[in-house]
Amino acid sequence: MKMTLLALILLVALSTKPLLGAAGAAPEHVVDTSGKKLRVGAAGAALEQVVDTSGKKLRVGANYYIVPASPNFGGLSLTNTGKDCPLDVVAVDGYQGLPLTFSPVNPKKGAVRISTDLNIYFSTETSCPQSTVCKLDDYDYSTGQWFVTTGGVLGNPGWQTINNWFKIDKYEDSYKLVYCPSVCKDCSYQCSDIGIYQDQYGKRLALSYAPFKVQFQQA
């Protein structure tokens, strides 16, 4: 009698627990305003594709201007800031600046999505031997700032390239650039928006509490 009762208890206990390795329920599809399915990330959040000023999805390898979302006409360019090379990234007024290209951590996907690690590089030649891949510069003690410069490495995600990875996030009705890399889980780094720090060299891109609100215009 005791053995029969024990077997019954074990049978009930096992029937209430999922089998180890059994697949979970498939996540529900997330759709946009047009009814199209959005890609769902590992955490269940929809990874929305970034669009340009005409509403078209950004394409990997294509050239775009990063322009202010405000009515002011401007863009991003390169300048020297007390040193010849590498060149630093600045926001300019009066013209669209220089074209840039986006290369996600997995460029084979062909899409540029929000909150996804990517390299940003200028599609232009300069007089400097360094690359035009954007990266976060070392801490500037004279200004107390972390500036965005060039000379980064394209691809090769990991701790060696931790300063080269940025993200695009939604910000109000437009976008913002963010430094918060996910390519190295064990690395120590700070997450911050990219904003503007103005000095004698111009409107320099730097880590900031006030994000630079931008949009993307096809070049």
Side-chain angles (χ1 to χ4, degrees), residues 3-157:
M3 290 297 295
T4 304
L5 180 60
L6 179 60
L8 180 61
I9 292 174
L10 288 174
L11 180 62
V12 172
L14 288 173
S15 66
T16 60
K17 296 181 180 292
L19 294 176
L20 186 63
E28 294 183 4
H29 290 299
V30 181
V31 298
D32 61 17
T33 54
S34 64
K36 294 181 180 179
K37 295 176 182 178
L38 296 176
R39 182 183 172 192
V40 177
L47 299 179
E48 176 185 341
Q49 291 192 26
V50 182
V51 298
D52 62 19
T53 53
S54 63
K56 296 181 179 179
K57 298 173 182 177
L58 264 61
R59 294 178 290 115
V60 173
N63 291 331
Y64 296 90
Y65 297 109
I66 299 181
V67 298
S70 64
N72 296 330
F73 187 49
L76 298 185
S77 187
L78 296 169
T79 190
N80 62 64
T81 55
K83 62 182 187 298
D84 291 334
C85 295
L87 301 176
D88 287 350
V89 183
V90 294
V92 293
D93 298 322
Y95 75 107
Q96 295 167 314
L98 301 174
L100 301 101
T101 303
F102 304 100
S103 180
V105 66
N106 188 352
K108 293 182 180 180
K109 296 293 184 180
V112 178
R113 300 180 184 274
I114 63 169
S115 303
T116 300
D117 290 294
L118 49 81
N119 294 136
I120 304 173
Y121 61 94
F122 286 86
S123 307
T124 185
E125 294 183 358
T126 71
S127 58
C128 290
Q130 293 89 351
S131 74
T132 60
V133 178
C134 296
K135 72 173 186 177
L136 191 67
D137 205 354
D138 295 334
Y139 182 73
D140 188 309
Y141 285 94
S142 63
T143 59
Q145 299 293 319
W146 298 83
F147 293 112
V148 179
T149 186
T150 53
V153 176
L154 189 64
N156 192 30

